[in-house]
Amino acid sequence: MRIGVINMPGRNSYDGQSLRTRFFILGLPLFPTGCIYKISDNLGIDIPLRGIDVLHAYAKIHFGLLGFGGLMLSSSMRGSNVMMKSVLMLLCLGLVGFCIYSWVAHSSVNEEEEVQRKIFGKAFLYNMSPEYLPNHVQKSLFNELLKVYFGKFAKLDWEADIRSRNVNKENYPLLYTLAYYQKTIAVTPTNEALFAEVAAYLEKGKQFERATTTASNQGATASAQANFATPVTETPRQEPRTAYQSTTHTATGKGARENTSANTKQTDSTPVEMSSKDIFTLHDARQSIVKQLFMVAGFFLFGFIIAAIFTGGTASLGIVFLICLTFYGVISAAVFLPSYMKIGRDITNRKKISIKVRIRDMAEEFGTAYLILQSNRYGIKKLTAPAKYYSTGLLNKELEIYVGKESHTLLEIVGARY
């Protein structure tokens, strides 16, 4: 039976971040002891407890258990007391329904909040909507945003960029997030108007996307209305450049943008020769996989020994051994073998690539660091690295790194900036 403290599954969960209620547990969660804004497995911020969160935390486990238990009890009731049985069943169904609602609806975010939090996550580490955070945390994160803005653009007057319409794809996430935090911290007409001004760029971006999907239909209509008059070439009205529009519009604009993106990606990811140090790093990474493989084998061996003690016949023991061996083989083939083979190919080919990414989360197991990345154009979701790279100081920084071409093992950090 477990005794201690547990963080209940969170609400408003998006991209690994959520608000979680901390409970004292004695087999089952008994009473709340606090609330935490979970940023990653290793990072969190204590925030005040809210009654609605406590209610939903109880609903996710206790209401479900009470509801199912009551339904079983009501189904076994005998006698003529139909009214009591019906009331009990309705009450239990309500408890089960509220339990399901707490798991599904209370844990998710709506579409509008998802868009906002995606922008927050591009600006800095914390993607939680500031409305859910206490005022002192809001101010602290706002100051963190100012530091990030100064680190990227060497200035603090971000409001001037909005008013002068100096908004582009590079600074838009930070400007949007700064304006949102400011109007949340201090609700004034000025702050509301400033946020509305920067938020309008997002709406213009959506309108631009909708317009491009109907461009062909509009062209056909304009052609039909021309009748037999001299053809007139319509020049589409150029929209103001926004955070979500392309910088150029040509007759083959889409193809040009795709080619430019492809060329940029190819330039950034051009393989180069590895150094001897890189090869040693890959050998260490492969050795770490072997150690983990033996550790998993040890767990299965221990389980087999325990099963052998309580198994009576030799035939049953053989079946248990085959089951353990099958599970071990499946786990080894699915988890360890692909990484082992990719590292082997990197050692043989001696090629590495340079990429620019941001680390969203990280974990460390058995001398290997696992780095979870934010969405990037390379399509790389996770990196493995030596344990020395397990440092929260690398979170949410733009890293220029070298990784193995096949295995995506972190070999070297060239530079880092906010």
Side-chain angles (χ1 to χ4, degrees):
M1 182 173 64
R2 182 173 178 179
I3 302 175
V5 176
I6 185 175
N7 291 322
M8 294 291 290
R11 68 180 175 92
N12 303 95
S13 179
Y14 176 76
D15 200 17
Q17 299 189 19
S18 61
L19 302 178
R20 299 198 167 196
T21 305
R22 188 184 297 113
F23 269 77
F24 175 77
I25 183 173
L26 183 63
L28 288 175
L30 296 183
F31 55 86
T33 61
C35 188
I36 186 173
Y37 164 30
K38 176 184 174 291
I39 302 164
S40 67
D41 292 337
N42 308 304
L43 294 175
I45 299 175
D46 287 323
I47 60 177
L49 197 62
R50 297 201 330 166
I52 188 68
D53 296 332
V54 176
L55 174 63
H56 282 283
Y58 277 122
K60 288 179 179 179
I61 295 182
H62 298 77
F63 286 13
L65 292 176
L66 289 173
F68 282 113
L71 288 173
M72 294 175 64
L73 178 63
S74 63
S75 64
S76 63
M77 290 176 65
R78 297 289 185 271
S80 59
N81 199 344
V82 180
M83 179 64 70
M84 180 177 292
K85 182 176 180 180
S86 301
V87 170
L88 180 60
M89 289 189 68
L90 287 175
L91 178 62
C92 293
L93 286 173
L95 290 174
V96 172
F98 193 73
C99 171
I100 296 172
Y101 168 78
S102 297
W103 278 105
V104 178
H106 189 66
S107 301
S108 60
V109 297
N110 57 42
E111 184 179 354
E112 181 181 357
E113 185 177 350
E114 183 176 347
V115 171
Q116 289 178 343
R117 292 181 64 176
K118 184 177 182 180
I119 297 174
F120 296 159
K122 290 181 178 180
F124 69 154
L125 176 62
Y126 314 94
N127 70 36
M128 181 59 65
S129 298
E131 293 93 342
Y132 302 119
L133 307 176
N135 187 257
H136 71 278
V137 175
Q138 293 174 359
K139 292 179 179 179
S140 176
L141 296 185
F142 182 77
N143 291 332
E144 183 72 19
L145 275 168
L146 290 175
K147 293 178 182 177
V148 175
Y149 196 82
F150 182 79
K152 290 190 71 172
F153 305 108
K155 57 182 177 180
L156 289 174
D157 193 5
W158 57 275
E159 295 182 26
D161 283 341
I162 298 177
R163 294 192 176 97
S164 63
R165 297 188 177 183
N166 181 27
V167 181
N168 51 59
K169 192 172 183 179
E170 185 70 19
N171 65 8
Y172 181 78
L174 277 167
L175 292 176
Y176 182 95
T177 309
L178 280 163
Y180 195 98
Y181 265 79
Q182 180 169 269
K183 69 119 176 161
T184 304
I185 294 171
V187 183
T188 65
T190 303
N191 292 341
E192 292 279 358
L194 188 67
F195 173 72
E197 188 172 349
V198 71
Y201 286 89
L202 178 63
E203 187 59 32
K204 288 178 183 178
K206 291 179 180 177
Q207 291 173 359
F208 178 76
E209 290 176 0
R210 288 195 294 268
T212 55
T213 59
T214 59
S216 58
N217 295 334
Q218 292 175 351
T221 304
S223 178
Q225 292 175 349
N227 296 325
F228 297 99
T230 303
V232 178
T233 304
E234 273 193 351
T235 302
R237 181 173 64 88
Q238 297 293 326
E239 295 288 342
R241 181 181 172 186
T242 69
Y244 291 89
Q245 293 182 20
S246 172
T247 57
T248 58
H249 297 272
T250 64
T252 57
K254 184 176 180 181
R257 288 193 297 272
E258 289 177 350
N259 291 337
T260 303
S261 176
N263 291 337
T264 303
K265 183 175 179 180
Q266 184 178 4
T267 303
D268 290 348
S269 305
T270 302
V272 296
E273 196 72 17
M274 289 185 183
S275 65
S276 299
K277 182 180 178 182
D278 297 331
I279 299 298
F280 284 129
T281 301
L282 289 175
H283 277 292
D284 288 341
R286 190 161 66 170
Q287 189 63 30
S288 176
I289 292 178
V290 174
K291 290 179 181 178
Q292 294 179 50
L293 196 60
F294 277 110
M295 186 165 293
V296 173
F299 282 125
F300 275 101
L301 180 60
F302 178 75
F304 175 71
I305 293 173
I306 296 298
I309 295 174
F310 295 97
T311 301
T314 306
S316 300
L317 189 61
I319 294 173
V320 172
F321 175 77
L322 289 176
I323 292 174
C324 289
L325 186 63
T326 301
F327 272 105
Y328 176 69
V330 170
I331 291 175
S332 302
V335 179
F336 299 106
L337 186 59
S339 298
Y340 187 89
M341 294 179 65
K342 288 178 181 178
I343 292 175
R345 288 198 293 269
D346 278 339
I347 293 174
T348 302
N349 299 329
R350 302 177 69 91
K351 296 295 182 181
K352 62 182 179 180
I353 57 175
S354 173
I355 59 176
K356 292 181 180 180
V357 294
R358 287 180 181 266
I359 299 174
R360 175 172 60 85
D361 199 0
M362 58 177 59
E364 192 268 334
E365 294 180 2
F366 310 116
T368 300
Y370 297 93
L371 313 178
I372 310 301
L373 305 182
Q374 294 184 10
S375 299
N376 55 78
R377 60 182 176 178
Y378 311 99
I380 302 175
K381 298 180 179 180
K382 183 177 72 173
L383 298 176
T384 56
K388 66 179 181 179
Y389 291 113
Y390 179 72
S391 170
T392 55
L394 296 177
L395 290 173
N396 203 45
K397 289 183 179 179
E398 185 178 275
L399 303 177
E400 184 179 353
I401 61 177
Y402 277 110
V403 297
K405 183 176 181 295
E406 296 286 340
S407 65
H408 298 154
T409 302
L410 177 58
L411 302 174
E412 180 186 0
I413 296 179
V414 181
R417 69 183 182 92
Y418 282 101

